Amino acid sequence: MAAQEPAIAIEANRVSKVFGSGQNEVRALDDVSVKIRQNEFFTLLGPSGCGKTTLLRMVAGFEAPTAGTILLDGEDITATPPNHRPINTVFQSYALFPHLTVAQNVAFGLEMLGKPRKEISDTVARMLAMVRMEQLANRTTAQISGGQQQRVALARALAPRPKVLLLDEPLSALDLKLRKEMQIELKRLQTETGITFIFVTHDQEEALTMSDRIAVMSAGRILQIGSPEDIYNRPSGRFVASFIGESNFFEGTVQGVKGDTAEIRMPSGHVIKARLGKGKPEGSVTFAVRPEHIRLEQFGIEGTIPAKVTRTVYFGTDTHCHLELDGGERLVARLQNTVGGNAAYDTGMRAGVRFDDGAAQVLID
């Protein structure tokens, strides 16, 4: 029996958005299609200007597409005003009312919907408990911290039980420790409520930590959609490989292809095996290897690639070892630190480089 397809909450169908005209024309989105599932934490990830916020604003109804349609539960909502969509947004600035208490802020949207007083009171209590803010219910939002304000903004957005919650870089104003804590909290809230979350960020760690799936965007297009593991371990091309985490890039010539593996000769003359993505490569290709998938061994061991250590950088949990291969290629190996450190590979030393099995992947852009 075939597995049932997951229900789709939001669908963007061949959406484009053009600002300006003539020489001033800017194509913010270029024929973008994506299906976001119900009860999914879905992240739009990319650098500034890639179109992720524009797409989010279209789902919210704040921007109208130049072409294409937006569907909610299969219904076309492209022309539906924002206040008639069962969709709420948490903005980067939180947009709370500083003269109102925490509880009053959470109640505001419910009051605008004309909900009964008892239902409002019960919902506010439940939401504040969910975001762990019960003790601060009677404080004004001007009297609480930035992290607490974010929790209030989340509670207010979740209170009316929207079908979809949009989050536009809500963690960017927080310090590093609080940002990490809130990453866990956001995923917890999404799991507990069962609401579809669409999260916009340029921070790869946020995307990898919280998401069920990620769409990597660049120049108004979606380059790849997949789980965090897929995006990180099987990037579709050089941009995705470089934007998500760190990668070493190498050039080589395909010597042969067998199944989903290619044998590639490097400028040094060494032949390595690399996983294939889409297509069957020929001639010159680029392949990538993550720094944590590179091993250093004693110089001269058979099967290793000769290299020289040019610099080491200590990061606490690991050490980044910068190397230059005899063929001229430069790379970085990430070595997990032990109690005694990694002093065995000091600057100027010779070492043998080995790639983990399956670590190299051919990139087809």
Side-chain angles (χ1 to χ4, degrees):
M1 184 175 178
Q4 187 176 359
E5 286 290 320
I8 302 302
I10 292 289
E11 180 177 358
N13 185 23
R14 304 202 65 179
V15 168
S16 294
K17 180 64 178 180
V18 177
F19 294 100
S21 60
Q23 292 183 340
N24 297 321
E25 179 180 296
V26 176
R27 185 167 290 271
L29 288 175
D30 189 6
D31 198 29
V32 168
S33 294
V34 60
K35 293 181 179 180
I36 300 171
R37 302 163 184 160
Q38 290 182 6
N39 192 19
E40 179 174 40
F41 198 121
F42 190 91
T43 297
L44 300 171
L45 174 68
S48 298
C50 71
K52 57 188 186 296
T53 296
T54 301
L55 181 56
L56 194 81
R57 289 176 60 83
M58 284 185 183
V59 174
F62 302 141
E63 295 283 356
T66 306
T69 55
I70 302 291
L71 282 71
L72 171 64
D73 292 341
E75 179 182 347
D76 190 341
I77 60 167
T78 310
T80 303
N83 60 319
H84 290 165
R85 302 185 185 196
I87 297 172
N88 276 355
T89 305
V90 177
F91 298 98
Q92 186 175 341
S93 63
Y94 310 148
L96 298 174
F97 300 110
H99 61 288
L100 299 181
T101 66
V102 166
Q104 289 169 338
N105 267 276
V106 176
F108 181 81
L110 299 170
E111 292 170 349
M112 293 298 99
L113 293 172
K115 299 293 183 182
R117 186 177 299 276
K118 178 68 165 58
E119 181 182 337
I120 292 175
S121 176
D122 290 347
T123 302
V124 168
R126 189 172 66 255
M127 290 297 106
L128 290 181
M130 184 178 292
V131 298
R132 299 164 182 169
M133 289 287 291
E134 312 100 300
Q135 303 302 317
L136 302 178
N138 295 319
R139 289 194 189 180
T140 67
T141 56
Q143 297 174 317
I144 59 177
S145 69
Q148 291 167 339
Q149 288 178 13
Q150 186 198 59
R151 291 172 185 266
V152 176
L154 283 166
R156 183 180 64 180
L158 291 168
R161 292 290 302 178
K163 289 187 176 180
V164 178
L165 183 65
L166 310 178
L167 301 110
D168 188 7
E169 303 205 50
L171 307 184
S172 59
L174 304 180
D175 62 54
L176 178 61
K177 183 178 180 181
L178 186 55
R179 194 158 66 242
K180 289 180 178 293
E181 291 175 359
M182 286 307 303
Q183 289 169 12
I184 297 170
E185 285 297 295
L186 278 176
K187 183 57 183 172
R188 177 184 67 83
L189 288 171
Q190 189 274 323
T191 301
E192 287 186 8
T193 61
I195 294 172
T196 299
F197 278 26
I198 305 178
F199 186 87
V200 161
T201 185
H202 62 272
D203 188 310
Q204 55 184 269
E205 182 181 296
E206 287 181 1
L208 293 171
T209 300
M210 296 184 290
S211 310
D212 295 314
R213 288 191 302 152
I214 300 169
V216 182
M217 299 187 67
S218 177
R221 289 180 172 271
I222 292 178
L223 301 184
Q224 185 174 358
I225 298 175
S227 69
E229 292 82 5
D230 286 337
I231 297 290
Y232 188 83
N233 292 318
R234 290 171 288 279
S236 61
R238 183 161 186 149
F239 178 87
V240 177
S242 61
F243 192 77
I244 305 291
E246 299 176 22
S247 286
N248 295 292
F249 298 103
F250 303 93
E251 306 298 321
T253 304
V254 176
Q255 301 293 292
V257 175
K258 185 175 182 180
D260 61 356
T261 303
E263 288 192 340
I264 301 174
R265 183 175 296 276
M266 301 175 65
S268 61
H270 290 81
V271 176
I272 62 97
K273 292 182 179 180
R275 292 178 289 114
L276 298 178
K278 296 180 180 178
K280 185 176 180 179
E282 297 179 350
S284 298
V285 295
T286 299
F287 67 94
V289 182
R290 297 288 188 186
E292 64 269 24
H293 294 153
I294 295 174
R295 303 285 167 252
L296 297 189
E297 300 181 12
Q298 185 177 342
F299 179 72
I301 290 181
E302 184 178 355
T304 62
I305 305 172
K308 179 182 179 180
V309 178
T310 59
R311 185 162 62 102
T312 59
V313 183
Y314 180 76
F315 278 90
T317 56
D318 51 39
T319 293
H320 291 194
C321 193
H322 296 249
L323 304 113
E324 183 174 346
L325 302 183
D326 284 1
E329 304 98 318
R330 294 179 179 272
L331 67 149
V332 177
R334 185 180 298 154
L335 309 178
Q336 189 73 33
N337 284 333
T338 60
V339 175
N342 286 302
Y345 301 106
D346 286 333
T347 301
M349 293 184 65
R350 299 280 280 168
V353 169
R354 190 187 300 276
F355 301 150
D356 287 345
D357 290 342
Q361 177 172 330
V362 176
L363 303 176
I364 307 293
D365 281 312

